[in-house]
Amino acid sequence: MDTPLYNRLIEHNSLGRSSFHTPGHKCSGFFDNKLLELDLTELPDTDALYEADGVIRQTEENAAKLFGCARSLISAGGCSLAIMAMLKIASKKGKKMIISRNAHRSAINAVALLGIEPVWIFPEGEKGYTGRINPYEVEKILKHEKNISAVYITSPTYYGELSDIKAISEICHKYDALLLVDNAHGSHLAFLSENLHPINLGADMSACSLHKTLPVLTSGALLNIADNNLAKNAKSAMSLFGSTSPSYPVMASIDICISYMYENGKRVYGDCEKTVNDIKSVALTKGLLNLNGKCDPLRITLDTSAVGLCGTEKQIEYFESLGIDCEFCDGENAVFICTPFNSEKDFARLRQAIEKIPVKSPVKNPSPALFLPERKLSVHDAVLSSSEIILSADASGRISSDTVCPCPPGVPVIMPGEVIQKEHIPFLPEKISVVR
């Protein structure tokens, strides 16, 4: 029998393209082949993830020291597991939670499963699915809503935008609310010239997808917790959603990464920051950078529509023709994840690709409508309701029973329980699940 997936992975690697997508190690040979020989399980001397009191607990303590927090919990189920556990820890019966509308679908899944009542807050970006959260808007909601247990935001966004975590954390604590940050794309922020990690800036918890920007195998993540009081039941919260068979090679890669970052992190990520800043300068002269405000120093988001390069297929085709795999193209923007494990050749290719983009007239596509749809059911009830699949063209007026979003970036166009309107339809997939 053929091995189609394995064969395709081998074929793709043989193309020799420069990887500006996850994982952060870029298949650069950071790990030796011994990791493949360490696919073990819970044994008397290998510890157990959810009851960690041996070597896994020691690794978690090293991670907490590295990130400057009270506790760090390993996730071999990606940042999605860390996000779900974080929301479980912060949820309180009878209390609501402010949640940014650009939350990843894993957070919405947790909202559904935990029965959390969300109070939505929109990011400031014109698209509605990306942008920074305004501290003033957070305070406005906290003044009005008196039963909020926590505020949950995404920073950095998929496009690299950074919210003012320090200001938001001060506001949250003024109103006795926790600040939770989906920091999936920002694990490296602790190792730059300015420490921009959410925990350092006052967040109470952050979910960090190590594999995205640090040298860790895919699905390796951490839940970082600033206060030991919040960590008391954190393991049970994680075990509620996580597999009972976590990957030991993934966990071992986190262990290796922590040791490496402790010794080398500031140096290698600082050097990478300078390289990326130089490439961004080239992009700026071409008119390709339009994300105003503070952004992730290691993420490059090119607005190719500003020079007439539009359409996802055209974007991908252009960069692939120059030997580059992007992290993500949305038809207007092309996103590149840069780490120290990109080679000089990788960065030279990216610079050349930016320099060679032909300049034509700008083209802008319509964005999803920025409004809060009518809610008919709670997220919990909508997800658990009887549903049917229909053509999106026929969905106007129906109640969505699913989180409808492309991945990447994994941000919903419409939430479960909301009424689909005609303005949504151009941005939906061909078919959608609705409540019967």
Side-chain angles (χ1 to χ4, degrees):
M1 185 176 287
D2 192 15
T3 53
L5 174 59
Y6 178 79
N7 291 350
R8 179 53 56 86
L9 294 175
I10 296 294
E11 289 168 7
H12 185 86
N13 263 359
S14 70
L15 296 173
R17 290 187 187 141
S18 295
S19 164
F20 286 99
H21 52 77
T22 64
H25 59 75
K26 310 293 184 180
C27 298
S28 62
F30 180 82
F31 301 108
D32 59 37
N33 290 331
K34 287 183 180 179
L35 269 182
L36 297 176
E37 302 170 11
L38 304 180
D39 192 11
L40 300 172
T41 189
E42 295 88 349
L43 298 169
D45 60 338
T46 61
D47 208 356
L49 180 57
Y50 303 124
E51 297 82 29
D53 59 4
V55 289
I56 292 177
R57 180 59 186 261
Q58 290 171 31
T59 297
E60 291 179 333
E61 289 172 354
N62 289 342
K65 182 179 180 181
L66 179 68
F67 285 96
C69 54
R71 283 292 307 273
S72 286
L73 273 64
I74 287 175
S75 164
C79 203
S80 294
L81 174 55
I83 285 169
M84 290 178 165
M86 181 167 69
L87 289 170
K88 172 66 173 71
I89 294 165
S91 63
K92 291 183 180 179
K93 190 172 182 179
K95 290 213 168 190
K96 302 176 184 179
M97 196 176 292
I98 297 174
I99 299 179
S100 60
R101 189 70 183 186
N102 61 336
H104 189 267
R105 70 176 304 153
S106 59
I108 310 307
N109 291 342
V111 166
L113 293 171
L114 295 169
I116 295 171
E117 183 178 348
V119 177
W120 301 116
I121 184 170
F122 278 101
E124 289 186 303
E126 63 179 25
K127 291 182 180 297
Y129 57 81
T130 187
R132 300 171 185 84
I133 298 300
N134 188 323
Y136 171 77
E137 295 297 326
V138 173
E139 183 157 28
K140 196 159 71 171
I141 296 174
L142 286 169
K143 278 182 178 178
H144 177 71
E145 296 276 358
K146 301 301 182 184
N147 62 338
I148 300 291
S149 66
V151 175
Y152 174 94
I153 68 172
T154 301
S155 180
T157 66
Y158 212 93
Y159 297 85
E161 299 139 312
L162 293 168
S163 293
D164 188 344
I165 300 298
K166 188 174 188 298
I168 296 172
S169 69
E170 289 171 356
I171 290 167
C172 288
H173 298 153
K174 175 182 172 183
Y175 292 90
D176 295 322
L178 299 173
L179 176 58
L180 321 177
V181 180
D182 173 354
N183 185 52
H185 287 267
S187 300
H188 63 287
L189 295 175
F191 309 102
L192 303 180
S193 56
E194 179 186 1
N195 187 339
L196 298 171
H197 194 278
I199 294 292
N200 184 60
L201 298 177
D204 296 287
M205 289 186 277
S206 73
C208 299
S209 192
L210 301 186
H211 75 91
K212 285 184 169 64
T213 59
L214 300 186
V216 166
L217 293 181
T218 295
S219 78
L222 288 176
L223 172 56
N224 285 319
I225 305 173
D227 187 337
N228 266 318
N229 288 324
L230 293 172
K232 289 178 181 177
N233 298 311
K235 281 287 184 180
S236 62
M238 190 168 276
S239 68
L240 180 65
F241 302 103
S243 169
T244 56
S245 302
S247 166
Y248 270 78
V250 169
M251 293 192 289
S253 77
I254 293 174
D255 194 17
I256 293 167
C257 170
I258 291 166
S259 176
Y260 176 84
M261 294 301 294
Y262 192 79
E263 298 293 333
N264 305 288
K266 284 281 188 182
R267 175 180 58 82
V268 297
Y269 278 80
D271 290 345
C272 186
E273 187 177 355
K274 294 172 186 174
T275 300
V276 173
N277 189 54
D278 184 49
I279 294 174
K280 283 185 176 181
S281 297
V282 176
L284 186 63
T285 63
K286 295 275 290 191
L288 292 164
L289 297 182
N290 72 353
L291 294 179
N292 298 317
K294 199 145 196 170
C295 292
D296 174 2
L298 293 194
R299 183 150 306 205
I300 298 176
T301 299
L302 303 179
D303 178 10
T304 65
S305 69
V307 294
L309 179 57
C310 280
T312 302
E313 291 183 7
K314 288 182 179 179
Q315 290 173 309
I316 293 172
E317 181 182 353
Y318 174 76
F319 288 106
E320 285 186 351
S321 72
L322 294 173
I324 292 171
D325 278 331
C326 308
E327 165 66 14
F328 168 59
C329 292
D330 66 5
E332 293 184 5
N333 302 283
V335 177
F336 305 83
I337 295 177
C338 306
T339 80
F341 305 97
N342 285 112
S343 65
E344 289 184 12
K345 181 180 179 181
D346 292 337
F347 287 120
R349 278 179 172 174
L350 183 55
R351 174 193 282 271
Q352 182 187 43
I354 292 170
E355 290 172 339
K356 291 177 66 174
I357 291 179
V359 178
K360 300 177 182 178
S361 298
V363 180
K364 288 292 181 181
N365 295 320
S367 297
L370 258 179
F371 63 89
L372 199 59
E374 180 186 4
R375 171 166 296 284
K376 288 286 191 180
L377 295 172
S378 69
V379 177
H380 174 82
D381 289 346
V383 168
L384 297 182
S385 293
S386 175
S387 62
E388 60 179 330
I389 304 294
I390 66 170
L391 291 171
S392 292
D394 301 326
S396 183
R398 300 294 298 271
I399 300 170
S400 176
S401 64
D402 197 5
T403 306
V404 183
C405 57
C407 190
V411 174
V413 174
I414 193 162
M415 302 289 183
E418 293 179 346
V419 178
I420 301 162
Q421 299 186 29
K422 62 182 181 181
E423 292 87 351
H424 294 122
I425 291 174
F427 307 100
L428 302 180
E430 182 182 359
K431 296 182 179 180
I432 186 172
S433 177
V434 296
V435 174
R436 284 187 184 275

